[in-house]
Structure formats: C-alpha cells, structure tokens
Amino acid sequence: MNLSSPTFPFGNGIHWFSASAHTKLPQEPLKDWLLSPSSLTQRLKTRCSTFEVLLLGEQWIDTPTQEWHGAESQLWLREVLLRLDGVPWVFARTLITPALLQQQQQLEQLGNRPLGELLYSDNHFIAGEIDVCHIEQGSPMCTLAASLAQPTSAPLWGRRRHFSYQQLPLVVAEVFLPAAVLAINAET
C-alpha cells in the first residue's frame, strides 16, 4: 500500500446527492448498505475477525464550500480506511467544526479508534439524512483504490451523513471500495 502524505486529503471533490432524490441507486444488497440508518462500523465488524481503522491523515483545512454550508472558515478533517481482516473496505472522511471539537475533544484524539462507536453510543449525537455519491473512473478516489491494489472496473458508491451534537454539526462520508463491493454483492 503506497499512501504518501502529499496526496492527503483524498476525498476532495466528491459530489453528493440526496438519497431520496437520486433515481439511479445501485442494486441490492449494496443499496441496503448505502441507505442503512445504523452504524456502518458495527455492521462491518460482523463481517470479519479483525476490524481496524487506518488513519490516513487529519488536520485543519479551509472549509470546502462544495461539502459544507455552515459559516465556519476552518474545519477539522479526518480521513481513514476501515479494514476487515487486513483488506481496506471503506474510505471514510469526517468534517468537524471547531466548536464541536471544543465540546468533544475526544473527536480530535480518536487516532485509530472508530468514530462510529462514539456516534452511535452517545445519544447526544443525532443522525440526519443520508446523501449518496456515484464516483466515476479517473477520480482521486479511484486512484486511492488502485493504490490499495483494488483497481476500479465499475463506479464507486458512497454515503454521507450529517450528525449534530447539541446543534453543532459533524459530517461523515464513507465510500465503499471495490473489495467491499465484491464481498457485499456476493451476499445474494
């Protein structure tokens, strides 16, 4: 796996759509995984013996206007790979406001711990609607997949969910890598 820091962040430039308004979603069972309201972390853990979070990078960034609609000028960015039995299944990208980091300092200190466990174990985090993305060949996300020895032969799909903690926003995006899509589609 050749992941060098000059390529961080990896998830810039993804275009998101409301799942309820998107007319061309993937077939089941991947569609079920995309639209599931439950914790992706918990669901992934049922599919493996060893679940790992590989931190790709985290830092303060200027607010990406295509991803964020709040007034914040900077956000905390965290990007990780979720690996099942050593195989990267999901790329995850989290955007957090400075105000939320002040209230929940553990968010800045997650390291290789899964964010999903915190979000779904604390009733103060309220989950919002799910958006989806359809990533075509040639995107930075496909380049990342290829660097993981998972070349893309079909478009990638991802989901994004807005959370709030006492009115303070946080956004989590998750893109299913080719290995995950193959395994998920083998469920049928």
Side-chain angles (χ1 to χ4, degrees):
M1 180 166 38
N2 182 18
L3 299 174
S4 59
S5 59
T7 57
F8 174 80
F10 297 94
N12 288 336
I14 297 174
H15 300 287
W16 297 94
F17 306 93
S18 169
S20 60
H22 203 289
T23 57
K24 291 189 176 185
L25 292 173
Q27 298 296 313
E28 296 293 347
L30 182 57
K31 180 180 176 182
D32 178 60
W33 282 74
L34 276 176
L35 303 180
S36 174
S38 61
S39 167
L40 181 60
T41 298
Q42 290 305 319
R43 193 167 187 183
L44 290 170
K45 284 182 172 186
T46 67
R47 298 291 306 254
C48 64
S49 299
T50 306
F51 177 86
E52 301 170 281
V53 176
L54 174 65
L55 179 64
L56 298 175
E58 51 188 355
Q59 68 186 25
W60 288 101
I61 61 165
D62 292 334
T63 302
T65 55
Q66 73 276 12
E67 289 182 81
W68 195 266
H69 303 293
E72 294 80 10
S73 62
Q74 285 203 315
L75 298 169
W76 182 251
L77 168 70
R78 177 176 189 252
E79 291 185 342
V80 301
L81 290 174
L82 305 179
R83 297 193 304 190
L84 282 66
D85 298 325
V87 178
W89 267 46
V90 174
F91 165 83
R93 176 180 172 94
T94 306
L95 297 170
I96 307 170
T97 65
L100 180 54
L101 277 182
Q102 283 183 324
Q103 282 201 13
Q104 291 289 314
Q105 293 177 358
Q106 61 190 337
L107 290 170
E108 193 174 1
Q109 301 161 356
L110 284 169
N112 290 330
R113 293 185 320 253
L115 172 63
E117 288 179 354
L118 174 63
L119 294 178
Y120 287 91
S121 65
D122 185 336
N123 291 336
H124 291 98
F125 283 101
I126 308 299
E129 296 297 313
I130 295 174
D131 296 327
V132 296
C133 69
H134 185 242
I135 302 170
E136 296 292 338
Q137 296 287 336
S139 74
M141 196 53 40
C142 292
T143 303
L144 173 63
S147 75
L148 299 169
Q150 296 184 33
T152 55
S153 58
L156 300 176
W157 284 92
R159 66 186 217 158
R160 177 177 73 174
R161 197 149 201 201
H162 296 263
F163 289 83
S164 66
Y165 180 90
Q166 299 176 353
Q167 316 297 307
L168 299 172
L170 171 144
V171 176
V172 179
E174 299 147 331
V175 175
F176 292 91
L177 297 170
V181 174
L182 285 171
I184 290 168
N185 285 336
E187 291 178 359
T188 57

